[in-house]
Amino acid sequence: MKNQMSRGEFLRLGSLSLAGTLVSDLAFANDFFSNNNPSKEDILLMQKLISSNDAKVKIILSKALTEPGIRISNFRPIAGAITVLAASISNSKSEYYKSESVAQKLNQAVDILLKEQYNDGTLDAGGNRQSPPDTAFILEYICPAAVLLNVSKQKDLAEIKDKLKKFIQNAGEAMTTGGVHTPNHRWVICAALASINSLYPDARYVQRIDQWLAEGIYLNEDGHYSERSGVYSAVIDKALITMARLLNRPQLLDIVNKNLTTYFYYTETNGDLVTVDSKRQDQFMNIKVNKFYLQYRYMAIHTKNPMFVYMVKLIESLPEFNSDILPDSLAFFMENPELQKEIPVEGKVANDFEKFFAVSNLARIRRGKSSMTLFGGNDKPLQVVSGRSSNPNFLMYRKGDAILKYMRLSTSFFRLGYFSSDGIVKEGNKYILKEIKEGDYYQPLAPEFRKADGDYKLSPSPDGRFWNKMDFDSRVKSNVKLQTTIIEITENNGALNLDFKVDGPPNVEVTIEMCFSEGTIIKGAEQDVKKNYFLKSGSGETSSTVDTIQFGPGKCEHYNVENLDSEEYTYHQGSLRTSGEHVYITGFTPFYHKMTIS
């Protein structure tokens, strides 16, 4: 379990450091191994956590844990309730300390888990049947609860503690043998095993952890894990911190350090995360950075990195902190007293940067109130499936509370859908995005491939638009059409100059789509009966609470703004169109247009 790393070995990890961190690996290591800087407890924060936890206990006590006749398919609410109840009944400053009603509710909740646990130690989770990784997510709540109850030494909790032990050890069997689906599942299972091992030591748990760790933890030069997902980066960071802490493996924190640095640049000033480059479901979701709170707080205390301190203070200033963090975090602060320490330094960081993540083909630029994201890093060929990047948004722009959620470009060229750049090339302060689309026709089969019954292989067309029993692989392509789209974007003190060029067959419809936040007032553009705006000429302007975005000049040569998605979506009546105020600029190939956003 010890697996101690020498101080010299840890310092050598400095070669992995990510450019842009505001603290050196040397300082990080010195701080990690030093106990000369004891911090005071953050008394005010702990009071808020206890109060919020007690408020949630009151709600839990007022309701039934399950609904009669409804089978449970998601056990996280039950596990979360156990964690919240355990925190209050174990905390001497809680109004529910040693509460009999809390003990009864805890007993009921644990009984539910035991009743639903399969003989192999697993639980179901939605469509995932007898799922080891989903059971590991449940243990993320249950193990801290067990730690708190074990420490409390309350005699009337003995039965509950025994039941929790039974559930956890049963689950431990599944963790030592069970498989996974996705990259992050490996580390969630490892963290669960580390937590189980800290409660009930068993060499098999550590052996299984080492088996997974032997695969290597992927982190690219941009500081991203393989899924490049805000949701799952938070999950992995939490898992690695758990392993580092409970297995005494501080080298894992160097990985967390780099990923958290990246997400500093991916965070808007209102806490929104940039997710356009994710390979998972959050590439089409709006999520907040509050998912990283415990991770940033733990690392801020360890490293004293002003960047991490800033992120902690930012998250604590968000409304979501009161609604999502405070009611559910007391147990984790009690289980890991490190989190209770006051943040040691002020989080002062420059609010002006340009950061190009070359591996992800994403650029982040901030100039005061203006924030910009450029993206051209989809996985090719494009496929709509979890695990691949396919978001067509190539530009996002914010100025305070005025938000251009995204800009896209689509053409009617063989209905191949939205522009999706083949990466980004950076030349000075200019970013160049480029894509070549190909549309094909097909010649008759050569005699050696013909079949008298016409029953040919069902296969996809080379351009990926459709499948047919045409044996496309055996046919010669002809009448090949190419369309080249180039978008050059230049940033100048918060303003973006865009130069669009779309060349290829003539008379192809081109549509530039801008989607602003819901409720934004659009000026300078004309609205049709479907509430679409068309910027026909001149400049447009948004009007929000405080700030404005100007864009233009416009151009309008057609009104066909339906079915901008590829047939992969439209064949099933699907669409990537989102809620918001949509403004269109349209034309035909050859299409050349310059505009500014500021």
Side-chain angles (χ1 to χ4, degrees), residues 160-320:
I160 296 173
K161 289 190 282 188
D162 288 342
K163 290 179 179 179
L164 273 180
K165 181 178 181 180
K166 180 180 180 181
F167 175 85
I168 291 169
Q169 289 188 316
N170 287 346
E173 295 303 310
M175 298 300 100
T176 57
T177 59
V180 301
H181 288 143
T182 60
N184 70 83
H185 283 173
R186 296 170 295 176
W187 319 130
V188 173
I189 281 183
C190 286
L193 286 165
S195 295
I196 299 171
N197 186 70
S198 71
L199 285 161
Y200 318 111
D202 188 325
R204 294 180 305 142
Y205 299 148
V206 179
Q207 290 168 2
R208 185 63 166 178
I209 290 171
D210 288 335
Q211 189 177 4
W212 285 117
L213 285 175
E215 295 186 1
I217 302 171
Y218 176 83
L219 190 81
N220 67 24
E221 294 177 9
D222 288 343
H224 278 301
Y225 301 115
S226 61
E227 293 171 292
R228 216 163 63 186
S229 159
V231 169
Y232 294 109
S233 290
V235 166
I236 295 172
D237 288 341
K238 184 183 292 185
L240 295 183
I241 289 172
T242 297
M243 285 188 276
R245 188 168 58 87
L246 299 180
L247 298 176
N248 196 18
R249 299 189 183 186
Q251 66 271 30
L252 296 175
L253 296 181
D254 189 64
I255 301 172
V256 177
N257 191 54
K258 295 169 180 58
N259 184 252
L260 292 182
T261 298
T262 293
Y263 275 94
F264 163 80
Y265 293 106
Y266 271 58
T267 303
E268 301 288 3
T269 53
N270 70 344
D272 287 348
L273 277 185
V274 172
T275 60
V276 64
D277 61 335
S278 172
K279 296 174 182 284
R280 296 298 303 277
Q281 68 270 23
D282 56 317
Q283 65 182 283
F284 296 108
M285 294 166 58
N286 295 322
I287 63 174
K288 291 284 188 179
V289 73
N290 58 286
K291 295 179 181 294
F292 287 88
Y293 176 66
L294 295 178
Q295 300 87 317
Y296 273 119
R297 185 174 185 88
Y298 183 85
M299 293 299 287
I301 290 169
H302 267 295
T303 68
K304 299 181 176 62
N305 184 339
M307 179 185 284
F308 297 165
V309 175
Y310 166 84
M311 295 301 289
V312 172
K313 299 301 184 183
L314 171 64
I315 296 171
E316 289 178 347
S317 72
L318 301 176
E320 290 80 7

Side-chain angles (χ1 to χ4, degrees), residues 536-556:
K536 295 186 174 181
S537 63
S539 295
E541 183 178 287
T542 67
S543 177
S544 59
T545 307
V546 176
D547 303 288
T548 62
I549 296 175
Q550 294 182 329
F551 53 93
K555 185 175 187 176
C556 182

Side-chain angles (χ1 to χ4, degrees), residues 312-343:
V312 172
K313 299 301 184 183
L314 171 64
I315 296 171
E316 289 178 347
S317 72
L318 301 176
E320 290 80 7
F321 181 72
N322 294 323
S323 60
D324 300 343
I325 302 298
L326 287 177
D328 295 303
S329 296
L330 176 61
F332 302 112
F333 276 73
M334 292 172 63
E335 186 251 349
N336 178 13
E338 290 267 1
L339 295 171
Q340 300 179 25
K341 295 178 180 178
E342 286 185 336
I343 300 296

Side-chain angles (χ1 to χ4, degrees), residues 383 457-472 567 571:
Q383 288 182 287
K457 181 177 67 173
L458 178 65
S459 61
S461 62
D463 57 20
R465 287 194 297 143
F466 50 80
W467 286 63
N468 259 312
K469 293 176 72 66
M470 290 278 288
D471 191 11
F472 290 106
E567 291 188 11
Y571 182 75

Side-chain angles (χ1 to χ4, degrees), residues 12 303 328 403 440 486:
R12 282 197 291 275
T303 68
D328 295 303
I403 299 175
D440 309 317
I486 299 174

